[in-house]
Every structure is written in C-alpha cells, then in structure tokens.
Amino acid sequence: MKYSGEREHLAKEKKAANKDQSSIEDFFGSKHRDEDAQNDEPPAPVYGVVEANPRASPPPAPPKPEPAQEEQASAEEEYAEEVAEEVAEEAEVITEVRVADSDTPQDLPSSFLLSVDYAGQQRKAIARLYEPKSKNLYFWLDNTGHYPYCYTDLPAQAVEKIDRIRRHSGFMRTETVQLLDLLHDQQKSMTKVLAGDPLSIGGSSGSIREMLVQDGVSHAWEANIRYRNCYTYDRDIVPGLMYKIERGNLVLSSSKTDDKIIEEFRKTVQDEEGVEKLVSRYAPVFFTDVPDIRRVAVDIEVFAPVKNRVPDPATANYEVIAVGLADNEGHDKCLVLKRKNHPEGKKGNDFPANLEIVYFDKEVDMIQEAFRLIDTYPIVLTFVGDAFDLNYLYHRAERLGIDLKRNCPITLGKDMALLKRGIHVDLYKFLKNPSIRIYALSGAYEQNNLDAVAKGLLGVGKLGLSNDISGLPYLELAHYCWNDSSITLRITQFDSNLLLRLIVLLMRISRLSMEDVTRQGISSWIQSLFRQEHRTRKCLIPRQVDIETAKSSEAQTEAVIKDKRFKGAIVIEPVAGVHFNATVLDFASLYPTIMKRHNISYETVDCPHDECRNATDNRVPETSHWTCKKRRGMISQTVGFFRDTRVKWFKGRSKDASLDDKTRKWSSVVEKALKVFVNASYGVTGASHFELFCMPAAESVTAYGRNAILSTKARAESMGIRVLYGDTDSVFLDNPSREQQEQLVQWSRKELGIDLEVDKTYKYVALSARKKNYIGVYKTGGVEVKGLSGKKRNTPDFAQAAFKRMLGVLSKVDSVDGFETAKVEIRDIVNQVIDRLEGRGEPYTPEEVAFRVQITKDLGQYGKTKPQHVRAALMLKAAGYDVPAGTIISYIKTKGDEGVLPVDLAQGKSYWLDKDKYIDTLHSVFEQVLDSVGLEFEELLGFTTLEQFF
DNA sequence: TATAGGCATACGATTGACCTCGT
DNA sequence: GCGAGGTCAATCGTATGCCT
C-alpha cells in the first residue's frame, strides 16, 4: 500500500492555473523539517558497522571525567544543554558505504560528484561520482590527510593544558591560524584543534567541543559543522560539478563552456569591484549542464488487513506483495508475490506492453531480488521512501531473517533511509519543500500526495482501483504498483529533466550533497552557502551569540501584529469601490535589491567603524542603524550577484525565442534555482534560528522597503495621481498617463536606486475596504482574485462554484452602468444556490458542501479550544481513521449536538444540514465582492427566502 | 524541531452585565 | 437586601489561509 502524506480522498481538483495570478514573488511559504537531528540516543557500542544509528562512536570510549572534576563537568554539561537548546544540533552521519576495490579507481574520466560523506570504517571523507559514459558509480577516498577540527580563541598552550583534551582519545594536535573576524573587522588569531574523527570534535558526550567551555562560556567555533560539509568547504569542492580522478587525486574538470559566453556574462553582471571573483567561481556552477543520470524509481505495496490503516514500517508485520521499478532507460518491472487462491485478473487496455512481471513464491526471494536491482543504480527515487517504502523493506528483511549487513542495500538513519552504494532521493520531502513548490514550480500542486503532485506537474495521476490494494488481482496490482514508480520517475523527467537539473543546481549553489539538498530546506541551503563563502574568504564563521553580542538582537521597530518581532511591510489603505483603468507599478525584487544597494549584511549593519557610525548618508530610516561604508557585506554582495545574474542574464534567456530550446530550458532552470536563494535571503536573516540571524539587518531591510513604497506614493500624489492601493512593493494608480508612469519609473531609479516596473493595467479593479482583498479584471476579460473567501481552499465547493459564476458575469462588465445588468444575473445565481440548499432543487452532495481545513498539529496538541475541524477529526479518529498532522479534514455543518460531521462518516447516515450556516457562508463569500461594486446581498435575495422570514 | 511580517475570517472561551429566584 | 445561578452579548484569543 502506498502511503501518501495527505489523505487521498481529500485531494481537490487543482485550481485553475492562471499564470497572471501568481504574484507570490519575492516572499515565501512556510515549513521544512531538518533531517536528522538526533541528540538523545547514547553512542552505539560498536564502531563502523552500526547501520541504524548514524552516531556510531569512535573505537576507544571517550574518557570518563575523573571524580575530582565531576562538579565542573556537570556544570559544563548543563551549559552544553543550554547551548543545545539555542543552537540547532547537527548530528554527524557516519555512513557505511559499501566500497569494493574496483569501485575506487586511481583514474576516472570526468564524472559528476553526487555526494561527499564521512566513511566511518575508513575514517576519511568519501566522494561518490557518477561517470556518465559507463553510467556507473565510483568512489574516491580522501588522500589529502584532512582531519576534523574546530577553532577556539584560547591560545594553543592553554588548550593543551586542558587535561581532558590532551588525554582525549581523538585529540591530535593544535595549530595557530589567522582568520578574519568580520563582526569586528579585524584579523584574529585562533587555535585550530584537530581530531582523528568527527565525533571527537562534537556530537558525542565528552567531545572536545564540550571541553572548550570555561566559566560556562563556550570557546569553540565551527564545531557543529558536519564533517562531510567541513571537508567540502575546505577543499572548495562543488557537489554537482564534474571531477576526475588523476593518479589517485580528485581534481576539478575544467568547464567546457564557451569562453566568449563567460566573458559576455562577466560584462553583463559585473557592475562593481569585487564581483569578478564571484563570477569566476560561480560561472561553472551556472553554465555546466546536467546529464540524464541513470536512475530507478521504486514503489512497494504491502498487504493490509484493515482498511484505511497504513502498515507500520517499524514492525513490518505484513508481507510485501509487490515491488515496482521504473528506470530512465526504459526498463519497467514489477515483482509480484504469489498468494494462495489469488486471482491473476486481466490486463486492462492501458496495460503497458513492456511491463515485465516477475512472480515469486517466497517473499524472501522477492525482496532479495529487489535489493539486488536497487543496488545496481546510482540514484534510487521514491515517494515517501524515507518514512515508508525503504524503511518497510529494511525492517521486513530483518524480520524475514535476511542478512542485513551483506544483502540489504539500505541503511536507516533517523527519519531517513540511505543506501550503501547509491543515492536515495525521497521526492516527497523535496516536493513538499515550500521553496520548491512555490518558487521553483509556481505552486503547480497544492497537496503533497503523489496523485496531486503528478496531476499538477505531469497532468496524469495515479490509477483508479477496482478494489482494496490487498484484494487486487495480480495484474492490476502490478500495473498500479509499477505506475506509481513510473510517475515518480517521470516527475524527475518532465520538461527536459527539469527537476533533476534543479536538484543538481541547488547542490552546486548550496554545496550540499544530493542526499542532503533534497531533504533539507532553504535555511540549511543558505547556511551552507555562506559557510562556504566564509571559508573561501578565510573568515571566521560567527556564532549566533557573537552576532548578538556585537549588535543587539532587540528590535528597534515594533511590529504591527502581536507576537511578531519587528516591523514589516506597509499596506496602503484601499480606496473602496470600482476603479477603471487602474495601473499597477511594482518594485522588481524589492528586498534583495535593498540588501544589495544599501550594503545590508550581518556584519555591515551597525558595523564597528567610527566613521560609519558617525556618517549621515548611511542611516537606516526609522531606526538608529547605519550601514558600513568601508567594507562590502558578504550577504549583500552575494545576494546582489545572484539577483543580477538571474535578472540580467538567465531570466531573459529563459523566454528568448531567438535562442535554441536547450539554452532556453537550461536558463529557466538556473533562473528558478537562483530565485529560490534570492527570495529567501531576507527571510533567513530575520529567522531567529538561522546561524547568521541578525535583527538589525532584518529590520533595516523592511525599513528601507517602507521608505520606498511611502515615498513612491507621495511622489505619485504630488504628480496629481491618486494612489488607490498598495502592498509592500506595489502601488495601484488611478488612470495614470503613459508619461506619468514613465516619470515615476525614472524618479525611482534615480532617487531610490530601485527598478520600478509597470506591471499591469486593469480594465477595472474592485477594491473592498479590506486590505489584501480585491478583484482585478483585465481588458481581455481575465479575472484576478486576491484574498477573497470565494477562492480560499477551505470554502466549500458549492460556494466556490457560485463565486466563479459571479466572476464570469463581472468580467463582462465594461462600464459603471454595466453593474446594473450584472446584478440581475448574479441574483439568479444566488437564488439557484439557495433553492438547492433549501431543498427546492437537486440537493448538494456532502462533498460539495464540505469545508476542508487542515489539522496543523497532532490532535493531542490542541488545547482548550476545539475548533470544528478538530472535532470532526476526533470523530474520524474514533471511527478508526488515521489522522496525522497535515491531514485536511472534510466536514459538513449539521444541526445536532456536534454541529459537524466528517464527510467520510456521512455515507449511509442521516443528518440535517445546517442550512442557515450555509446561507451565511454564501452571504459572506458574495458580500466581499458585492460591497465593492455597490451591490448588496440582501437585495439579491428572491422572494423564496424572504417569504419565510415574514 | 520552521526563511519574514500583515491581514481577514470563523468561532471557541471568557467576561461581565443583567435577570430571576429563594430565603 | 443579598447571593447563587442562568442567559446573552461583547470581547478576547486561537486557528487557518492568504498576500507580498
């Protein structure tokens, strides 16, 4: 059985994709999970062979604190705990890579670097490389003698005087190094403490990191960086780029890109000193193509005795009945387990001709064969494989007595399943990432289950079923199972391998391996990117506490919204009513531009230089912050470079009809990847968990933003143009002339240094008195709806449908008088709906009147207030349904004790719809539009309803 | 085990004015 | 005259979804 993140029956038809409509530019969505934080388990006793626990401990046990030191030690431990709360722990992952001698060649032609890991057994960094000609995977073990380390500001002699460090089994030696401390803009002498293995530095109790604590203050820097990343940064290795092995050494393959193109690119984006280094370093990242890496998608089906119950991978109680495999070279296979008296069934019409079915009498044999196949691929794709498919296979194999060490290609980490040879990519995690869903894929799917994602991206969904999975005849089961893996594969293939290329580009920019980049979110990507930037520039990576000490983490501005930490954007009060010929101007990527232009970075806001502190032309509006005039901010410069690269080079090329298809497609992928980083750069600066979190920088960005929109509004008004509305980076102008528009654009470029662009002109815009709520109608008749209840996902379909019909009527209106005609048609729509609600027409189905609201946390987490959707969820749970966080609950409102009834429980049950509640819903959906066009809901109501009141 | 803040809506929970009742 | 207990509207607080 396939486990999907959301309940599938709740899948809603994808909203009409209206390209004009998406203006979620520049900002973001919500959440991501960190992959493998794991702090509470004791170190495993055996070294190097522990597969289920990524925190295997080094061979000799760490020394125990001596009795005399116990008191101090416990104080340190206490402190360590406190620190652990503040700073997100990054658990070290010790991989058990299965390497044969033949896999580690002394020479290898140009190959793509897929990952860098720490090999526990060899105690070295290990790289996985994909050689595109042979389509095979090769390994390379570090031969440079690189060791794990951290820094401390204690002098080397002082470090070596600390008994517990000197006698630590992992301790090797110290070195004194000079690093640039950006926060104080000075060279700093630091002691590098080297160890024989990563866990001696940090991540195990009694590690060196914890011994560099004096008087409750930590003196360790860069001690929580995972070794595989540390190695990557130090060697300036770019995962996703081409490397070759020459006489045992790993060396970068020079790029094949045309020098003329690079030169043109350089000229286009290099507008200031210092950028040439960035151009040289990043050119291979942006201009090296990505091959069609050999890969297979895997999906399994498990026998399930109870309906609606997903088999638990941890216990793996039930037999695996099918394993589907689809690779990108046209091999399509399904392994099927023979069961007693089970029907074979018939091949349906759309049964793929080349799908090979292999029957097994014994489950053990089937799983072994699946393992054998999986182990031959460089990349294995799944959908929810971390939590289900691979996890289930692992535990099932264990249960069946398969020798896991020798015959199972899977190793389990916390919340993930990895492979001993290849790379496992769980597309569920990657596609759920809001940065990917919203920015890279323009919100093509709303829910994260395979069916919804496939429909949104490929236009095809899962197969319909004639029965429970467990009851399907063999052929139908095989078809279904293989189809899921085939869809999973095709998600990485559509649009010339868009998703695969995107993953590789994100690897290159973030410097993370494929396994990490597909599991982590934007804040980890950006963190990794800037760690590399620090290392490359020989700068010390600051700790959160360092930034907080150097500049306050208290905001100087007060948020408008309760519980928010600093002031954000401005929304201009809308002029309620209908406005013909409204033109919208907006700033092109406002916040990134501000960061670039005003040199905003954690080290350059409130910098340590007196001359900057006392200058007058560098003050941040509304605050007492200032920006640095002496040094270019690292984040400011990098984000500025990415932004310019995207806007000035790749964005235009992705739509340029004069270019060949290949260049256009590639440009579009690079443009999408850059968009993700550029748009999130402000957000992470203001995120308190981010390594480089900096309150002064975050509130400076929004302060400049408010300044920009307010001064633009003032400027427009001084030109005699009425400003109808505006939100963050846009102004709606009342019928401005072409000259006026042009004048404003020029003014903005000159005075603000920000590109103001003419975005669109509406035939008319209907503004309500509410902010973030309006309808805009284009001259072509297209309608854009923002914020109104009628388009919200939780609004029942019957109301959404009626709302849509109303929009159809409104889109035809051409003048003020037109609304009178529209009124008659809208009255008709309203009365038809009310008739059906009141039983005078065809009654609505439960699905049509269902409210769909998400359970955002575990049911037990809800406190005193029990909203309707939670009550409905509790009813479902009582009926035996699985209701994990993230489930969208469909419920109807009824007259009765509970007031709600889940749609799933409505079948065969008698209930009374709470008709009044539904008329209220319709009322509020329509009113939001009607009040702005000068109509009232009440006057639309026909006699049918009024009669009943009087 | 989270990239930001600003805004609208629905509805549950709490508060407090007001009333009735019983002694 | 007073306190207990009930009703109901106003107000506060929580939850969700959306905008940029």
Side-chain angles (χ1 to χ4, degrees):
Chain A
M1 178 182 278
K2 161 70 66 184
Y3 170 74
S4 313
E6 320 273 359
R7 304 196 66 81
E8 297 181 3
H9 58 92
L10 299 164
K12 197 166 78 74
E13 219 181 73
K14 189 188 140 207
K15 286 195 181 166
N18 181 347
K19 292 282 183 230
D20 299 348
Q21 198 164 309
S22 92
S23 53
I24 319 168
E25 268 309 274
D26 311 304
F27 297 81
F28 15 79
S30 48
K31 303 143 192 261
H32 85 275
R33 285 168 62 99
D34 199 1
E35 32 73 296
D36 57 0
Q38 177 182 352
N39 304 320
D40 44 5
E41 283 189 36
V46 191
Y47 176 64
V49 291
V50 181
E51 296 160 17
N53 184 349
R55 282 187 46 192
S57 101
K64 292 217 169 68
E66 289 169 22
Q69 293 174 317
E70 210 146 77
E71 209 168 290
Q72 190 201 349
S74 74
E76 284 172 13
E77 273 160 29
E78 223 167 80
Y79 173 76
E81 269 171 38
E82 276 170 37
V83 171
E85 265 174 45
E86 288 164 20
V87 181
E89 192 55 56
E90 292 172 38
E92 200 66 58
V93 177
I94 310 291
T95 26
E96 194 209 335
V97 184
R98 186 194 296 157
V99 190
D101 284 345
S102 59
D103 295 334
T104 54
Q106 284 293 298
D107 288 283
L108 184 71
S110 288
S111 303
F112 286 84
L113 180 66
L114 297 183
S115 79
V116 174
D117 286 291
Y118 178 69
Q121 227 140 18
Q122 291 83 356
R123 312 184 80 190
K124 282 175 182 168
I126 185 167
R128 286 174 227 228
L129 297 140
Y130 173 73
E131 200 281 297
K133 286 212 179 72
S134 65
K135 300 181 179 176
N136 277 330
L137 201 59
Y138 295 93
F139 296 87
W140 176 84
L141 275 162
D142 175 58
N143 61 350
T144 66
H146 186 276
Y147 289 105
Y149 63 89
C150 67
Y151 291 118
T152 178
D153 59 351
L154 304 173
Q157 305 94 307
V159 172
E160 288 176 19
K161 265 193 204 134
I162 302 173
D163 276 353
R164 298 173 64 210
I165 291 184
R166 198 180 56 237
R167 299 197 338 238
H168 193 285
S169 60
F171 173 74
M172 290 179 59
R173 63 170 190 272
T174 59
E175 289 171 9
T176 303
V177 294
Q178 297 297 314
L179 291 172
L180 180 57
D181 173 4
L182 289 176
L183 280 171
H184 303 97
D185 194 15
Q186 61 192 25
Q187 285 294 129
K188 207 167 170 181
S189 188
M190 300 290 287
T191 304
K192 191 174 184 178
V193 185
L194 293 99
D197 64 295
L199 290 177
S200 294
I201 293 293
S204 65
S205 62
S207 63
I208 290 170
R209 177 173 77 193
E210 288 167 25
M211 296 170 187
L212 290 168
V213 174
Q214 289 189 346
D215 303 326
V217 177
S218 169
H219 288 265
W221 273 263
E222 308 193 18
N224 56 347
I225 301 175
R226 293 187 184 102
Y227 180 67
R228 58 181 187 276
N229 297 326
C230 175
Y231 182 85
T232 313
Y233 306 145
D234 280 344
R235 290 216 49 205
D236 201 8
I237 286 173
V238 185
L241 275 187
M242 309 242 284
Y243 286 82
K244 51 191 170 187
I245 304 176
E246 277 179 353
R247 276 166 287 161
N249 298 318
L250 184 74
V251 290
L252 183 67
S253 282
S254 55
S255 162
K256 278 180 287 181
T257 314
D258 191 345
D259 287 344
K260 265 193 273 177
I261 294 186
I262 303 288
E263 198 41 47
E264 200 189 330
F265 170 65
R266 182 188 299 279
K267 277 188 203 145
T268 309
V269 299
Q270 190 174 315
D271 59 353
E272 58 172 313
E273 220 182 307
V275 174
E276 69 272 8
K277 280 189 193 153
L278 286 173
V279 172
S280 309
R281 286 175 48 215
Y282 280 95
V285 167
F286 299 144
F287 289 97
T288 309
D289 200 359
V290 175
D292 186 24
I293 307 178
R294 195 163 75 90
R295 58 197 185 277
V296 67
V298 178
D299 179 59
I300 70 168
E301 309 298 335
V302 174
F303 180 80
V306 187
K307 218 180 162 181
N308 295 321
R309 191 72 85 184
V310 179
D312 178 12
T315 54
N317 281 329
Y318 305 106
E319 54 195 4
V320 177
I321 52 177
V323 181
L325 301 120
D327 76 11
N328 64 328
E329 298 180 313
H331 300 113
D332 295 302
K333 199 177 259 196
C334 192
L335 316 184
V336 176
L337 180 66
K338 285 266 188 194
R339 286 170 279 166
K340 263 190 196 141
N341 304 324
H342 198 79
E344 179 170 28
K346 272 188 284 194
K347 291 186 180 179
N349 286 337
D350 49 355
F351 194 91
N354 64 329
L355 171 55
E356 180 193 350
I357 298 181
V358 186
Y359 287 102
F360 289 85
D361 291 320
K362 285 163 81 181
E363 191 191 1
V364 176
D365 295 340
M366 182 178 76
I367 290 179
Q368 300 250 40
E369 173 63 3
F371 282 170
R372 191 189 65 77
L373 290 168
I374 285 173
D375 212 27
T376 61
Y377 286 92
I379 295 182
V380 175
L381 308 165
T382 65
F383 197 87
V384 207
D386 277 342
F388 187 73
D389 299 59
L390 296 196
N391 196 328
Y392 199 97
L393 281 177
Y394 180 92
H395 285 115
R396 188 67 187 166
E398 185 176 38
R399 210 184 165 91
L400 294 174
I402 294 176
D403 183 348
L404 294 177
K405 219 179 285 176
R406 299 180 57 177
N407 295 324
C408 177
I410 303 162
T411 63
L412 292 188
K414 187 153 194 224
D415 293 331
M416 60 178 167
L418 301 176
L419 298 171
K420 291 176 188 167
R421 275 192 65 85
I423 306 279
H424 169 219
V425 174
D426 184 344
L427 286 177
Y428 168 71
K429 276 195 180 146
F430 185 65
L431 293 165
K432 204 174 140 193
N433 183 332
S435 294
I436 298 304
R437 186 171 68 88
I438 295 173
Y439 296 119
L441 301 174
S442 320
Y445 50 94
E446 276 202 344
Q447 297 198 25
N448 298 313
N449 58 63
L450 182 58
D451 191 53
V453 169
K455 278 186 180 137
L457 297 177
L458 310 173
V460 298
K462 288 164 72 97
L463 291 182
L465 291 181
S466 66
N467 198 339
D468 289 359
I469 292 202
S470 305
L472 288 181
Y474 292 138
L475 290 173
E476 197 180 339
L477 173 70
H479 189 190
Y480 176 84
C481 177
W482 165 83
N483 190 62
D484 277 359
S485 54
S486 171
I487 290 174
T488 306
L489 170 70
R490 277 183 282 156
I491 286 174
T492 67
Q493 289 180 310
F494 78 97
D495 224 352
S496 314
N497 283 343
L498 165 69
L499 222 65
L500 178 72
R501 294 165 128 190
L502 188 63
I503 289 172
V504 173
L505 260 168
L506 295 172
M507 287 165 62
R508 293 175 187 170
I509 300 174
S510 69
R511 310 278 183 141
L512 292 169
S513 58
M514 186 175 277
E515 280 159 328
D516 285 340
V517 88
T518 52
R519 286 174 176 79
Q520 297 172 357
I522 185 63
S523 63
S524 301
W525 299 348
I526 294 184
Q527 170 180 280
S528 180
L529 159 67
F530 283 115
R531 282 177 171 179
Q532 175 73 68
E533 289 298 318
H534 279 86
R535 288 264 168 106
T536 302
R537 298 164 196 225
K538 300 200 174 7
C539 298
L540 181 67
I541 301 171
R543 308 169 303 183
Q544 272 208 342
V545 58
D546 299 333
I547 300 179
E548 189 180 336
T549 311
K551 42 200 87 181
S552 171
S553 64
E554 292 286 303
Q556 291 182 11
T557 54
E558 197 187 336
V560 173
I561 308 261
K562 176 168 133 318
D563 293 338
K564 300 282 187 186
R565 297 159 306 145
F566 62 96
K567 195 166 184 183
I570 281 194
V571 188
I572 296 171
E573 198 68 45
V575 179
V578 172
H579 309 280
F580 284 86
N581 295 315
T583 295
V584 181
L585 306 193
D586 64 5
F587 295 112
S589 53
L590 178 64
Y591 288 172
T593 310
I594 287 173
M595 291 177 82
K596 179 187 176 189
R597 177 173 163 79
H598 294 287
N599 200 21
I600 293 176
S601 185
Y602 77 88
E603 78 276 25
T604 46
V605 173
D606 299 346
C607 65
H609 314 110
D610 283 339
E611 68 176 274
C612 303
R613 182 195 306 269
N614 297 321
T616 53
D617 58 348
N618 60 347
R619 317 309 300 186
V620 178
E622 294 179 54
T623 68
S624 62
H625 297 309
W626 66 92
T627 55
C628 187
K629 298 170 66 132
K630 296 182 70 170
R631 278 195 168 272
R632 196 72 182 87
M634 180 187 291
I635 296 178
S636 171
Q637 189 183 44
T638 312
V639 169
F641 167 64
F642 282 3
R643 183 234 171 238
D644 290 349
T645 299
R646 171 177 178 238
V647 174
K648 295 184 187 169
W649 189 271
F650 289 106
K651 203 176 176 185
R653 267 151 224 270
S654 69
K655 290 169 193 152
D656 189 340
S658 71
L659 294 170
D660 60 289
D661 194 50
K662 207 179 153 207
T663 309
R664 258 205 324 272
K665 285 259 165 63
W666 176 251
S667 299
S668 148
V669 180
V670 182
E671 186 262 327
K672 285 184 168 73
L674 285 172
K675 184 178 181 180
V676 167
F677 281 86
V678 168
N679 287 341
S681 52
Y682 146 75
V684 294
T685 306
S688 52
H689 289 288
F690 184 61
E691 185 163 71
L692 303 178
F693 162 64
C694 181
M695 179 59 80
E699 69 175 343
S700 295
V701 173
T702 56
Y704 275 115
R706 291 190 296 276
N707 182 59
I709 188 173
L710 286 180
S711 52
T712 304
K713 175 172 183 274
R715 179 70 187 176
E717 281 164 351
S718 78
M719 291 163 62
I721 311 169
R722 190 158 66 130
V723 176
L724 302 169
Y725 176 62
D727 186 347
T728 311
D729 61 355
S730 66
V731 281
F732 289 46
L733 304 179
D734 188 7
N735 201 7
S737 72
R738 285 234 170 271
E739 294 71 41
Q740 286 175 317
Q741 295 175 27
E742 187 51 32
Q743 241 180 299
L744 263 178
V745 168
Q746 295 301 339
W747 168 85
S748 168
R749 183 166 305 145
K750 188 155 166 284
E751 296 299 318
L752 303 175
I754 308 174
D755 293 335
L756 185 63
E757 294 173 341
V758 179
D759 185 19
K760 57 203 167 191
T761 297
Y762 292 117
K763 177 166 76 178
Y764 71 86
V765 59
L767 297 175
S768 72
R770 291 170 285 271
K771 295 170 171 177
K772 298 183 190 281
N773 277 262
Y774 62 87
I775 287 176
V777 179
Y778 289 104
K779 300 206 161 86
T780 55
V783 184
E784 196 170 74
V785 180
K786 297 291 182 191
L788 302 177
S789 298
K791 77 171 254 193
K792 290 201 178 180
R793 171 170 62 67
N794 53 340
T795 299
D797 284 340
F798 85 96
Q800 283 196 26
F803 180 76
K804 231 178 201 169
R805 288 177 65 194
M806 172 170 68
L807 293 183
V809 172
L810 289 175
S811 71
K812 285 179 283 182
V813 174
D814 285 321
S815 65
V816 180
D817 299 340
F819 289 107
E820 277 305 307
T821 330
K823 184 159 115 182
V824 180
E825 291 181 54
I826 294 171
R827 179 206 302 269
D828 218 40
I829 297 168
V830 170
N831 285 318
Q832 280 175 26
V833 174
I834 290 182
D835 277 351
R836 288 183 68 180
L837 282 173
E838 296 192 329
R840 280 186 301 276
E842 185 197 342
Y844 285 116
T845 64
E847 282 79 13
E848 284 174 302
V849 291
F851 291 83
R852 293 173 297 256
V853 183
Q854 187 179 189
I855 300 280
T856 56
K857 46 193 175 189
D858 235 44
L859 278 181
Q861 303 282 101
Y862 286 87
K864 280 183 182 172
T865 43
K866 291 261 185 293
Q868 296 180 324
H869 66 292
V870 176
R871 293 209 303 274
L874 288 170
M875 291 166 75
L876 277 174
K877 197 179 170 192
Y881 284 78
D882 197 23
V883 195
T887 309
I888 292 176
I889 306 293
S890 284
Y891 64 92
I892 56 180
K893 298 188 183 180
T894 58
K895 282 187 175 145
D897 301 343
E898 289 285 350
V900 294
L901 181 64
V903 169
D904 282 351
L905 304 182
Q907 272 216 325
K909 216 173 173 180
S910 67
Y911 53 87
W912 289 271
L913 272 194
D914 193 336
K915 172 193 84 185
D916 294 337
K917 287 261 174 63
Y918 280 97
I919 292 178
D920 281 352
T921 301
L922 190 71
H923 184 292
S924 62
V925 163
F926 273 64
E927 193 183 40
Q928 290 179 356
V929 180
L930 297 178
D931 65 359
S932 57
V933 300
L935 301 175
E936 277 195 36
F937 187 77
E938 276 74 16
E939 64 173 307
L940 294 176
L941 294 180
F943 292 107
T944 48
T945 42
L946 286 177
E947 268 176 348
Q948 303 196 324
F949 290 122
F950 300 106

